[in-house]
Amino acid sequence: MQLNPIRKIVIVGGGTAGWMTAAPLALQLGGPCEIVLVESPDIGTIGVGEATLPTIRYYNDLLQLDHADFIRKTQATFKLGIEFKDWGHIGNRFFHGFGDFGPPINGRPAHHYWLRLARSVARMPDLENWSMASRMARENKFMMPTDAQPRITDAFTFGYQFDAGLYAAYLRDYAMARGAKRVEGTITGVDQHPETGFVTALRLADGRTIDGDLFIDCSGFRGLLIEGTLKAGYEDWSEHLPCNSALAVPCARVEPLTPYTRSTAKGSGWIWRIPLQHRTGNGHVYSNAFTTDDQARQDLLDGLDGKALDEPRQLRFVTGRRKKSWVKNVVAIGLSGGFVEPLESTSIGLIETAIAKLVELWPDRDCRPELAAEFNRVMSSRYESIRDFIILHYKLTKRDDTEFWRHCANMTIPDSLAHQIELFRATGRVTILDRDSFAEPSFVAMLVGLGVVPERYDPFADGIDLRQLHGHFASLRDLIAQAAARMPDHGAYLDRNAKAPKPA
Ligand SMILES: Cc1cc2nc3c(=O)[nH]c(=O)nc-3n(C[C@H](O)[C@H](O)[C@H](O)COP(=O)(O)OP(=O)(O)OC[C@H]3O[C@@H](n4cnc5c(N)ncnc54)[C@H](O)[C@@H]3O)c2cc1C
């Protein structure tokens, strides 16, 4: 029996995290529970965060968003994965597609059989031939997978690339239509209960106060409540992830409209390219210990494939996570909870995780510390598994053309990741440390793409006649190629199903 239910939730911040949090809470709790979101007219949102993981679809489905309406209003495109250029070594090009490399064979992952096949021929066949998502991406094709009667050619998934500002605005309208209230004001003070230390009210610059039972800190990097008031502490991971700066700039859309994000490694970091319907988002993530801001800006502008639409915007960050994301009656969601650089577009996914976990562990007004401990356990595990996956991209480089890449090749890495890499190198096995994070095909795509060739494969893979195995892989490759060839062009598919209006 609920004796002490939360009656008022206050969300601090109106960026992607704030409105992503407000929308499902308004849907599920609106009515008896008041939801107030405070955002400052003077402190802007970060304004980046445009590529997502496939899990965004579960979030959108929970809100029962109209798929085409959402795409049109956020200028979205489909994302089948990430193309990596010049990662591992200059000239390297591979794809981390969303999906597997064919169905398991005799219950064992297909890549072991591919490894056996690869040993029997003079030249390693490209593993991407067996990834539906990668094949479609290469050819700029897109079509929805059919859930009703799944076939091998439907064995892919997708996320979206969208305009961050439009997505937050879309969710703001959604949340406010369901009763969430928006307060514009800058928070300058925080009141706490003298005995418990719980946050009781926020004081705004204009003298207003906003009280509440549960406070959700979506105030971005500053972590206004979680750090500013409650001093949760921050675990700095710069030792393993040296990038600390970014420059972001939009440019004019060019054809074809690619259904994927591109990441191109540079001398001291990497450049993202995110195609949207109305423009292309670009950014350079780098370490200012290894290059200058001016040089990074020049590298970014030199690589644009369309006319720059604005001046590059500078951002700084410290990779890491809050030691505790939930303290007393404050829960940090979004950048206030931590940040791992955007190489695999994981931040919005972490926001989804935090919201889902908070709803699952929904507290009473007394916010039992056991609930906070469970939330913090799950979030730590998710952040750490993402951290390790991102470090892998840098650590496995064979590049030695710059000081930055030599540093990455030689840096220490967490034991958890060292174990994952060595296991794969020795046996082709992938161990997954957090089942709800990146799955086996993602590790295989990155490890193989970065040039790790396992010494062995699963002995079970020897249980099939080699000629039969050749036949199996050849027909699967042809099936995937033919299916991709039949699909519509990504841009044409969007034009037909969810063409966004030209911005005014
Ligand atoms: C370079 C870069 C690239 C990124 N790319 C991706 C990507 O491709 N995919 C992805 O998933 N994520 C990406 N991210 C992360 C993503 O941008 C964020 O996770 C997301 O935008 C959420 O930000 P936020 O809402 O937590 O913070 P913000 O957008 O910073 O919002 C903070 C809010 O708090 C309010 N606020 C702050 N202080 C006060 C105050 N005193 N009073 C009142 N209000 C206040 C502000 O007004 C604002 O509304 C990227 C991040 C960076 C740095």
Side-chain angles (χ1 to χ4, degrees):
M1 194 169 65
Q2 288 277 48
L3 293 176
N4 204 7
I6 302 265
R7 292 164 312 191
K8 185 169 175 187
I9 305 158
V10 180
I11 299 170
V12 176
T16 305
W19 288 113
M20 276 187 80
T21 305
L25 294 185
L27 175 71
Q28 295 178 24
L29 299 169
C33 191
E34 196 183 345
I35 299 168
V36 177
L37 183 145
V38 192
E39 59 182 317
S40 167
D42 304 320
I43 304 169
T45 63
I46 191 140
V48 281
E50 310 208 307
T52 65
L53 296 170
T55 50
I56 187 80
R57 290 164 56 206
Y58 303 129
Y59 174 85
N60 284 357
D61 286 350
L62 176 84
L63 300 184
Q64 297 169 356
L65 299 185
D66 179 292
H67 182 69
D69 184 59
F70 150 74
I71 292 178
R72 276 190 215 104
K73 294 210 174 116
T74 61
Q75 296 280 351
T77 58
F78 293 101
K79 177 180 169 187
L80 289 162
I82 304 176
E83 182 189 42
F84 287 91
K85 278 181 76 184
D86 295 335
W87 283 86
H89 60 89
I90 292 176
N92 196 19
R93 195 164 179 230
F94 65 94
F95 213 83
H96 169 198
F98 296 149
D100 59 26
F101 295 99
I105 302 173
N106 293 337
R108 322 295 279 196
H111 74 268
H112 288 288
Y113 294 83
W114 169 79
L115 283 169
R116 177 171 174 224
L117 188 77
R119 285 190 176 198
S120 70
V121 291
R123 203 167 157 266
M124 288 273 273
D126 194 345
L127 183 59
E128 285 172 19
N129 287 330
W130 292 280
S131 159
M132 193 67 225
S134 304
R135 185 80 200 205
M136 288 162 66
R138 286 249 170 277
E139 298 184 19
N140 294 319
K141 298 295 188 82
F142 189 81
M143 207 166 97
M144 292 282 192
T146 350
D147 292 331
Q149 204 190 1
R151 295 159 300 181
I152 283 162
T153 48
D154 290 319
F156 67 92
T157 179
F158 63 90
Y160 300 102
Q161 300 157 137
F162 50 57
D163 182 312
L166 295 178
Y167 188 57
Y170 189 71
L171 295 178
R172 179 193 63 211
D173 293 348
Y174 178 100
M176 291 181 71
R178 285 159 185 78
K181 294 186 195 115
R182 173 176 176 271
V183 172
E184 212 177 71
T186 301
I187 299 158
T188 50
V190 179
D191 292 341
Q192 287 175 273
H193 189 281
E195 280 149 32
T196 63
F198 274 36
V199 171
T200 52
L202 308 176
R203 276 182 276 116
L204 305 188
D206 60 11
R208 284 176 292 170
T209 57
I210 300 173
D211 62 357
D213 299 324
L214 180 70
F215 290 80
I216 306 181
D217 185 348
C218 299
S219 64
F221 285 135
R222 51 178 49 78
L224 196 70
L225 304 183
I226 197 75
E227 195 59 51
T229 305
L230 294 173
K231 313 279 182 246
Y234 196 75
E235 204 172 295
D236 182 337
W237 291 336
S238 311
E239 179 193 350
H240 307 301
L241 289 168
C243 291
N244 61 0
S245 306
L247 284 155
V249 69
C251 77
R253 168 179 164 173
V254 293
E255 299 301 328
L257 190 64
T258 50
Y260 57 88
T261 297
R262 177 181 296 145
S263 165
T264 306
K266 305 302 285 182
S268 304
W270 59 279
I271 283 180
W272 80 71
R273 178 185 182 277
I274 302 177
L276 310 180
Q277 290 200 42
H278 61 326
R279 61 166 170 79
T280 304
N282 307 276
H284 191 173
V285 175
Y286 59 96
S287 165
N288 69 354
F290 293 90
T291 188
T292 62
D293 295 330
D294 285 346
Q295 185 59 50
R297 183 178 181 279
Q298 202 52 51
D299 290 347
L300 174 63
L301 293 174
D302 287 349
L304 298 184
D305 54 14
K307 183 174 169 287
L309 300 176
D310 213 336
E311 271 299 302
R313 216 159 42 82
Q314 176 86 67
L315 300 155
R316 300 262 188 238
F317 54 83
V318 180
T319 298
R321 73 167 166 81
R322 206 64 64 195
K323 286 183 180 156
K324 286 179 181 166
S325 292
W326 182 339
V327 180
K328 301 185 189 289
N329 63 337
V330 171
V331 182
I333 296 183
L335 297 174
S336 60
F339 181 61
V340 180
E341 60 153 281
L343 188 49
E344 289 278 354
S345 333
T346 42
S347 284
I348 292 173
L350 282 160
I351 294 172
E352 296 156 25
T353 303
I355 296 168
K357 218 57 214 169
L358 173 60
V359 170
E360 189 186 315
L361 299 170
W362 195 251
D364 283 346
R365 237 178 300 157
D366 58 358
C367 284
R368 293 291 304 235
E370 294 81 0
L371 294 173
E374 174 58 7
F375 182 88
N376 292 333
R377 184 191 69 77
V378 171
M379 292 313 294
S380 299
S381 159
R382 192 64 39 84
Y383 267 98
E384 280 167 23
S385 73
I386 287 171
R387 173 201 64 190
D388 285 6
F389 190 56
I390 303 298
I391 298 171
L392 178 154
H393 296 52
Y394 289 96
K395 178 66 185 174
L396 290 176
T397 193
K398 295 189 185 73
R399 285 182 66 153
D400 66 355
D401 53 309
T402 62
E403 199 50 47
F404 174 81
W405 287 110
R406 286 191 287 275
H407 168 83
C408 292
N410 293 320
M411 70 188 174
T412 58
I413 59 172
D415 291 346
S416 44
L417 175 61
H419 169 64
Q420 282 176 305
I421 295 174
E422 288 322 313
L423 183 70
F424 186 77
R425 211 190 286 281
T427 72
R429 285 351 192 275
V430 174
T431 182
I432 300 295
L433 304 178
D434 181 342
R435 294 261 147 224
D436 294 319
S437 190
F438 286 99
E440 183 172 76
S442 293
F443 277 89
V444 172
M446 288 314 304
L447 288 157
V448 170
L450 291 168
V452 180
V453 182
E455 288 160 28
R456 299 199 190 156
Y457 50 79
D458 183 342
F460 273 74
D462 282 328
I464 288 190
D465 173 67
L466 194 58
R467 283 216 344 240
Q468 207 187 330
L469 204 57
H470 270 283
H472 168 81
F473 275 97
S475 63
L476 196 56
R477 181 195 57 212
D478 294 348
L479 205 64
I480 287 172
Q482 286 155 12
R486 283 194 301 272
M487 288 182 182
D489 172 77
H490 173 230
Y493 184 87
L494 274 167
D495 282 352
R496 203 162 49 246
N497 296 290
K499 187 175 168 62
K502 281 218 173 346

